Amino acid sequence: MNKLTQRIDKERLLLGIAAPLLALVAAIVVTTLVILATGKNPGDAFSDMATYGSASDSQVYILNKATTYYLAGVAVAIGFRMNLFNIGVDGQYRLAAFIAAVLGGALTAPGWIAIPLIILCAMATGAAWAAIAGILKVTRGVSEVISTIMLNSIATAIIAYLLQPGKLAELDEAGTTVRTTPLPKSSYFFTIDTGASGVLWGFIFIAVLIGIAYWFVLGRTRFGFDLRTVGQSETAASASGVSVKKMIATSMVISGAVAGLIGMPTLLNDSHQFGNDFPAGIGFTGIAIALLGRNNPIGIALGALLWGFLERTTNHLEFQGYDKEILGVIQGVIVLCVVIAYEVVRRYGLKRQQQRVGAELAAQAAAPTEKQEVA
């Protein structure tokens, strides 16, 4: 059986490498065909993307974008590990950013007090909004997909109602943008000036800490083990003494708390206020990135960097005469290729493992025992 285990482990390693390679090759082939269909040269497009994406200012841009995308991916992945589909990340982070911006604009405390309060406020708001879906699921059996979709709409309506002059917002000096009261400079999160390459957001270090916490809690603690067990089999988890309802509600709250951080890089490092032009849709991007990263903290980081790279380079392609819709096509193609490739490899690996175990067991059953040989 040791030899069998070694063979299976080697195959598992090879299949783990084969999945991303297969997805990459498939994505390149399909993307090439898409570019050819537009009447353009795919070689020139890929060359331009590589050149422009490797520029120093582009690298800073990609890291800043990846910071936000990484937090979105982790927020979604927490739900995925529990077999929960938290579509409400988008509403959770926007409402959290809005409430945190209102609080930050009203604070007069020193930065070392104000910044933690703003971050905690955002996390608490996101957690509270996600908790609604968790409570509905464990008490009334309402699907988190349906409840979070509705909560997204409600969050949008709440923001639209409160983000008006005379309520919790004001017109800017030009009279064109409605925004919350700007944060005082003491509440700005630190940045790293890279010179001509631009400014790197300091919140990237918070994102790294979140990734480490995600890896440690889910992979090295009893809570993480229970969470993963419930995600794989609620029946088995319940039989082992784990409170399934408690774990569902807790995971939704944690997912919402991380979702509350998604808007913080933009708020604390860039815009310093919440306006009607605040980035939207990042929660749905997080779903794609979590799928790309297979809910692994390192995989999610690579997916976030890839997403930032594609956004930077394909937007530049538009100025080179390529269709602007190519970004959405490439992103969709990559996600589909990754999901399909991993599923194909998973099924093939499972089939191979079953065949090898079956062959080993059949060989053992056919071999005569010592007692039979003596008889």
Side-chain angles (χ1 to χ4, degrees), residues 100-171:
V102 172
L103 172 65
L107 287 175
T108 57
W112 62 274
I113 295 178
I115 293 175
L117 285 177
I118 293 171
I119 294 175
L120 289 175
C121 174
M123 294 181 69
T125 302
W129 202 246
I132 298 174
I135 293 172
L136 288 174
K137 184 173 181 64
V138 299
T139 59
R140 293 292 181 266
V142 179
S143 169
E144 75 279 3
V145 175
I146 297 175
S147 60
T148 51
I149 289 176
M150 296 298 100
L151 286 169
N152 280 344
S153 299
I154 295 173
T156 301
I158 292 174
I159 295 171
Y161 175 75
L162 296 176
L163 191 65
Q164 296 184 49
K167 290 187 173 66
L168 296 180
E170 59 186 26
L171 281 173

Side-chain angles (χ1 to χ4, degrees), residues 165-243:
K167 290 187 173 66
L168 296 180
E170 59 186 26
L171 281 173
D172 63 358
E173 296 178 356
T176 57
T177 303
V178 180
R179 64 183 188 182
T180 58
T181 303
L183 272 61
K185 290 187 177 181
S186 60
S187 297
Y188 291 7
F189 206 78
F190 77 92
T191 57
I192 301 174
D193 189 358
T194 62
S197 300
V199 176
L200 181 65
W201 296 349
F203 215 84
I204 189 173
F205 295 102
I206 301 297
V208 171
L209 291 177
I210 292 297
I212 294 173
Y214 170 74
W215 165 80
F216 180 79
V217 172
L218 265 70
R220 295 293 185 272
T221 66
R222 174 60 187 271
F223 172 80
F225 175 79
D226 290 345
L227 188 146
R228 287 182 283 113
T229 302
V230 173
Q232 293 174 359
S233 173
E234 292 186 5
T235 303
S238 180
S240 63
V242 178
S243 174

Side-chain angles (χ1 to χ4, degrees), residues 293-366:
R294 307 297 295 176
N295 302 325
N296 181 281
I298 296 178
I300 295 172
L302 295 176
L305 290 169
L306 174 62
W307 218 258
F309 173 82
L310 290 175
E311 183 176 315
R312 178 69 167 179
T313 55
T314 51
N315 285 337
H316 180 256
L317 285 180
E318 183 180 351
F319 296 100
Q320 307 301 315
Y322 292 84
D323 296 325
K324 63 180 181 179
E325 290 80 11
I326 194 172
L327 170 61
V329 173
I330 293 177
Q331 290 175 339
V333 165
I334 290 175
V335 173
L336 284 176
C337 288
V338 168
V339 173
I340 294 173
Y342 271 97
E343 182 62 21
V344 169
V345 171
R346 186 191 70 82
R347 292 187 180 186
Y348 175 78
L350 181 61
K351 182 179 179 181
R352 287 286 298 165
Q353 183 175 350
Q354 290 173 342
Q355 289 175 345
R356 287 189 175 277
V357 173
E360 185 76 13
L361 293 175
Q364 291 179 358

